[in-house]
Amino acid sequence: MRYTQEKIHKIVETQRTYFRKGETLDVRWRIRQLKKLKQAVLDHQENLQAALFEDLGKSPTEAFLCDIGPVIVEINEMLRNLKRWARPERHFSGLMCFPSTRTTVYKLPYGVTLLISPFNFPVLLTLGVLAASISGGNTAVIKASSKSSASTRALQALLSDIFPEEYVTLIDGGHDVADMCLAERFDKIFYTGSPAVAKHVMEAASRHLTPVALELGGETGNWCVVRRDADCRDAARKIAFLKLCNAGQICININQIAVAREIAEEFLTELKKEFIRQIGERPEYNPEYPKLITGAVYEKCVRLTEQYRDRVIFGGTGDREACRFAPTVIYPVDEEEDIVRHELFCPLLPVVPFDDAEIDRMMDVIASREHPLAMYVFTSDRRWAERVMSTQQYGGGCINEVCIHMMVRGVPFNGTGHSGMGAYHGEWGFREFTHPQTVLKGRTRLNLPLREHPYSGESGKRKNALLRLFEK
């Protein structure tokens, strides 16, 4: 479909009219919509897997592990807990408000939401966010990625089967269509993507003072720190898995590794072994290995590999026709080189050696860069690890593990600074798509004149004394 500004404006206004009818405020009604969405994902599973393979070369197992399965898990958590999350909160108003003793906090939907989803996990990062929007009682206009076109078509078919356009609409198209969406007035915008585009989204949202949630990869990428007391084999196994997943096109992937010089050779030997064990010596010819989303990303891999060719110790090869590029380890890389100062979002993996005795200086370097979405540390020094992970600024992370922190129920997935704002998953997603409204229930009798004039003389003194008493 060819979209125009008039067409998109009509979609938004139709949804606004529908929202004002109040149907989405009923929590039981929202639960029915979530059940519809879950069943549709199950019914369309084969189509979604085929689309993910076409767009990103994901095998059925990886498609379910990383895209489809997590959506079902997310919806299940909402179905179990939504009634409790949405329940109004009751509060004692306090003596200052006497005789009005009861205050209620309602959790209200924003209204018409705009969800802008990326190409790398087109099912999870579209339907997972949509589920959060539905749980909050909103309507949704979804701008899906034009890069993952097969997945966008599959999602469009899935959603049009179960939801009317006045409630949920998926729009395809490029940046021009996204700008048309951003020109409209929405009540909430949720964007997943790059920090550069996020600035554009925030600028557009500011024209209407629309609140935004941003889930970003981070300007300078996610660090993984491997200290000299780490289990090299265990660290290599987990790091290889994460770097192979979606060919590195993951916002929480490892962008660069800082490894203690004392164990660097041992660690790199284990890392190479793990890449070979998990995906083979020529992964670009392995049909299970995902492909890059566009030829432009492939050419970026080629350009950077050639730039660092003399330091490529593993990989560095690709299949241009299949758009697959092998995981490529570059070592040694200085902490100030350009390749470790921006997010790569591809299979390249630069490794920065450091002296373990200077770990605090290394952590200061990481802290001086833009806040990452994820951080990973491998060490047997639990006290150090917990101190670092509780003081550094980042979205989320793991000690002696990678990425699975985002699979834990009841915890937020979020970034900070250049890696985003806002949070979702489970109750955090419900909170992100609702706003609290505080309502005090007043009384018509026994109202004291404490807040009223006069404030001087004997009356004022008595009022002042009582006010100070009530404030204790």
Side-chain angles (χ1 to χ4, degrees):
M1 179 185 295
R2 183 178 178 275
Y3 290 96
T4 63
Q5 192 69 62
E6 292 72 23
K7 170 69 174 173
I8 292 175
H9 180 73
K10 183 178 179 181
I11 290 171
V12 175
E13 290 307 306
T14 299
Q15 288 205 0
R16 198 175 305 284
T17 299
Y18 177 68
F19 175 75
R20 286 173 178 161
K21 292 180 180 179
E23 192 170 31
T24 69
L25 298 179
D26 185 348
V27 175
R28 292 169 299 179
W29 186 89
R30 298 182 212 172
I31 289 173
R32 291 197 295 272
Q33 310 318 305
L34 289 169
K35 287 180 177 178
K36 284 183 187 178
L37 181 59
K38 175 186 173 181
Q39 190 58 51
V41 172
L42 294 172
D43 292 342
H44 288 252
Q45 182 176 324
E46 290 186 4
N47 290 339
L48 294 173
Q49 288 174 330
L52 289 166
F53 180 78
E54 182 178 339
D55 288 329
L56 291 155
K58 292 187 180 183
S59 68
T61 299
E62 184 168 340
F64 189 85
L65 173 68
C66 298
D67 255 285
I68 299 169
V71 172
I72 297 170
V73 171
E74 183 81 354
I75 295 174
N76 283 340
E77 184 176 357
M78 292 174 179
L79 292 174
R80 283 191 295 267
N81 298 294
L82 183 54
K83 286 183 180 179
R84 176 171 56 83
W85 297 341
R87 190 178 300 139
E89 296 177 10
R90 311 292 183 185
H91 296 265
F92 172 57
S93 303
L95 292 175
M96 288 288 290
C97 301
F98 183 85
S100 303
T101 57
R102 181 183 296 179
T103 295
T104 303
V105 178
Y106 298 98
K107 291 91 175 270
L108 271 292
Y110 280 100
V112 183
T113 62
L114 173 62
L115 317 179
I116 306 177
S117 59
F119 72 84
N120 57 329
F121 291 95
V123 176
L124 173 60
L125 299 181
T126 299
L127 299 186
V129 179
L130 173 62
S133 178
I134 289 174
S135 76
N138 305 278
T139 69
V141 176
I142 302 168
K143 169 57 185 74
S145 175
S146 59
K147 293 180 179 178
S148 49
S149 56
S151 297
T152 294
R153 290 192 300 270
L155 289 168
Q156 208 161 32
L158 182 155
L159 293 171
S160 63
D161 276 354
I162 56 172
F163 297 135
E165 190 177 75
E166 64 185 3
Y167 178 47
V168 175
T169 303
L170 189 145
I171 294 174
D172 58 8
H175 296 305
D176 57 332
V177 176
D179 283 342
M180 291 179 196
C181 292
L182 290 170
E184 296 297 322
R185 178 170 186 160
F186 286 90
D187 302 304
K188 176 79 174 185
I189 297 175
F190 194 109
Y191 168 75
T192 306
S194 71
V197 177
K199 295 174 184 177
H200 176 64
V201 171
M202 287 193 73
E203 182 180 6
S206 70
R207 291 195 288 269
H208 301 294
L209 296 180
T210 301
V212 299
L214 307 175
E215 295 298 337
L216 316 174
E219 195 79 33
T220 49
N222 307 314
W223 283 86
C224 175
V225 178
V226 183
R227 295 200 61 185
R228 68 179 297 175
D229 56 4
D231 183 326
C232 287
R233 181 176 296 180
D234 178 71
R237 178 183 181 180
K238 293 168 179 175
I239 291 169
F241 150 74
L242 180 54
K243 200 62 184 178
L244 290 171
C245 189
N246 210 27
Q249 300 167 112
I250 306 179
C251 57
I252 58 170
N253 214 323
I254 296 168
N255 199 69
Q256 57 269 316
I257 299 174
V259 61
R261 203 182 307 273
E262 295 88 337
I263 60 160
E265 293 302 325
E266 179 188 357
F267 167 74
L268 292 169
T269 298
E270 294 294 338
L271 184 61
K272 292 180 218 178
K273 287 180 182 178
E274 279 301 320
F275 277 132
I276 294 171
R277 183 183 71 83
Q278 294 184 34
I279 203 68
E281 293 190 3
R282 296 300 298 272
E284 63 268 35
Y285 299 120
N286 188 328
E288 284 193 359
Y289 182 51
K291 65 180 181 179
L292 300 172
I293 189 64
T294 64
V297 180
Y298 182 92
E299 294 305 325
K300 180 184 80 169
C301 291
V302 172
R303 174 176 53 80
L304 286 171
T305 298
E306 290 308 311
Q307 183 179 343
Y308 291 89
R309 175 60 69 181
D310 60 332
R311 286 179 275 172
V312 171
I313 64 170
F314 183 84
T317 58
D319 181 346
R320 182 174 273 102
E321 185 176 347
C323 216
R324 289 194 182 97
F325 202 87
T328 299
V329 181
I330 302 171
Y331 176 84
V333 177
D334 187 80
E335 64 200 36
E336 297 299 329
E337 292 191 60
D338 183 65
I339 197 170
V340 295
R341 296 186 71 91
H342 65 271
E343 186 184 22
L344 297 172
F345 217 68
C346 70
L348 272 58
L349 185 57
V351 179
V352 177
F354 69 94
D355 294 324
D356 196 72
E358 298 183 1
I359 181 60
D360 289 340
R361 186 197 64 80
M362 188 70 238
M363 299 312 299
D364 284 343
V365 169
I366 294 172
S368 70
R369 310 264 164 101
E370 298 298 349
H371 303 328
L373 183 60
M375 178 172 288
Y376 309 107
V377 297
F378 286 87
T379 178
S380 60
D381 187 344
R382 283 277 178 171
R383 181 174 295 180
W384 174 86
E386 289 173 4
R387 176 174 62 82
V388 164
M389 298 300 275
S390 64
T391 55
Q392 292 277 121
Q393 293 278 6
Y394 56 94
C398 302
I399 299 171
N400 294 326
E401 191 47 275
V402 293
C403 80
I404 58 174
H405 62 285
M406 68 171 295
M407 299 172 68
V408 179
R409 294 179 185 176
V411 301
F413 179 70
N414 62 303
T416 179
H418 279 236
S419 56
M421 61 180 67
Y424 74 121
H425 286 191
E427 185 175 4
W428 296 87
F430 170 80
R431 294 179 188 176
E432 191 62 51
F433 281 96
T434 56
H435 61 95
Q437 290 186 183
T438 300
V439 177
L440 180 143
K441 297 182 179 179
R443 293 178 181 266
T444 57
R445 296 182 179 182
L446 301 177
N447 286 285
L448 301 179
L450 284 175
R451 60 188 171 186
E452 301 164 3
H453 286 278
Y455 295 151
S456 58
E458 289 300 317
S459 177
K461 290 179 181 179
R462 287 194 298 271
K463 290 176 183 179
N464 191 43
L466 284 172
L467 287 171
R468 291 178 182 276
L469 179 65
F470 288 167
E471 286 177 353
K472 290 183 178 179

